[in-house]
Amino acid sequence: MSEDILYLVFVIVLLIAMLAYMNIKDRENMTKIIKLQNAMEDMTKELHYLKKELLSKTEENSDENYNFELLKDEMKIMLEKELAQRILPVLRSIQGMEHIIEEFQNEQQNRILNLEQKAQSMTKLTPNYDTEEQKIIDLFKQGKSIEQIAKDLRIGIGNVELVLKFKQLIK
């Protein structure tokens, strides 16, 4: 009985640790994503200001003819490079962490299943007593003393006497 409780406590502690680890990693990922969002917003603002500056310069210098399509393509290329440098590594690391977490969850589920199977096999090895009262009665009928029954079952002598008196086996 106490081994089953220890197994259960171990599994609960393990699950709590796993959830805490997942929560910490999730928070770290969220902070990284927020930083990336802020960086993208800053880049978008810079792009907007550059467009405004270019428009104002083109209006001032109507003689100069800027090729906006070329500039737009160059900006797209620069933006794609920045995204590839900053976001893709973070996405790869997040995918790696997801894979690690899935493996950890699978391993823990397998451990839980093994513990459950061991607990079931342990219950098959012990005799099937309906209640503690039945154990007391069986031991008394085997000729054990009240003190010995109390010691074997780790209960008080008064409890053993009460059960035996209630079943009218002693007076």
Side-chain angles (χ1 to χ4, degrees):
M1 182 71 180
S2 65
E3 288 181 5
D4 292 342
I5 292 172
L6 286 175
Y7 284 132
L8 183 61
V9 168
F10 174 75
V11 169
I12 290 171
V13 168
L14 193 61
L15 288 175
I16 290 171
M18 182 176 64
L19 290 174
Y21 175 76
M22 288 173 45
N23 189 15
I24 289 170
K25 288 299 179 182
D26 189 35
R27 286 184 185 171
E28 289 176 0
N29 289 336
M30 288 305 292
T31 56
K32 288 180 183 179
I33 289 171
I34 289 171
K35 286 180 183 178
L36 287 173
Q37 286 176 341
N38 291 337
M40 287 183 67
E41 286 178 12
D42 291 342
M43 290 173 58
T44 305
K45 286 179 185 177
E46 261 187 61
L47 180 63
H48 178 72
Y49 290 134
L50 284 173
K51 281 183 181 180
K52 275 188 174 180
E53 190 175 284
L54 281 175
L55 286 176
S56 66
K57 285 187 179 183
T58 55
E59 289 173 2
E60 291 174 4
N61 303 325
S62 58
D63 296 339
E64 296 179 15
N65 189 6
Y66 289 100
N67 189 351
F68 287 109
E69 289 300 318
L70 182 60
L71 184 60
K72 185 177 176 182
D73 291 339
E74 287 178 13
M75 292 299 286
K76 282 183 182 179
I77 291 171
M78 289 174 55
L79 184 61
E80 288 174 358
K81 285 181 182 177
E82 288 292 321
L83 289 175
Q85 287 176 347
R86 295 184 183 187
I87 293 178
L88 291 179
V90 172
L91 287 175
R92 287 187 198 112
S93 66
I94 289 173
Q95 290 171 346
M97 284 188 287
E98 286 176 347
H99 181 69
I100 290 169
I101 289 171
E102 286 176 8
E103 288 177 354
F104 184 72
Q105 285 177 335
N106 290 337
E107 182 181 324
Q108 296 310 315
Q109 287 175 349
N110 288 338
R111 286 182 179 178
I112 289 171
L113 289 174
N114 287 340
L115 287 173
E116 287 176 353
Q117 289 172 353
K118 287 179 182 178
Q120 288 176 353
S121 66
M122 288 174 65
T123 57
K124 291 178 183 176
L125 296 176
T126 59
N128 187 12
Y129 290 104
D130 294 332
T131 64
E132 190 174 83
E133 291 178 2
Q134 187 62 40
K135 291 178 190 177
I136 293 170
I137 293 168
D138 289 345
L139 290 173
F140 185 76
K141 287 181 179 178
Q142 290 174 7
K144 292 195 176 188
S145 68
I146 293 173
E147 292 81 15
Q148 187 62 38
I149 293 171
K151 184 178 177 183
D152 289 348
L153 297 179
R154 296 183 183 135
I155 58 175
I157 295 173
N159 289 347
V160 175
E161 288 177 346
L162 180 66
V163 169
L164 294 174
K165 285 181 182 177
F166 182 71
K167 296 295 183 176
Q168 298 176 351
L169 295 175
I170 62 169
K171 292 185 182 184

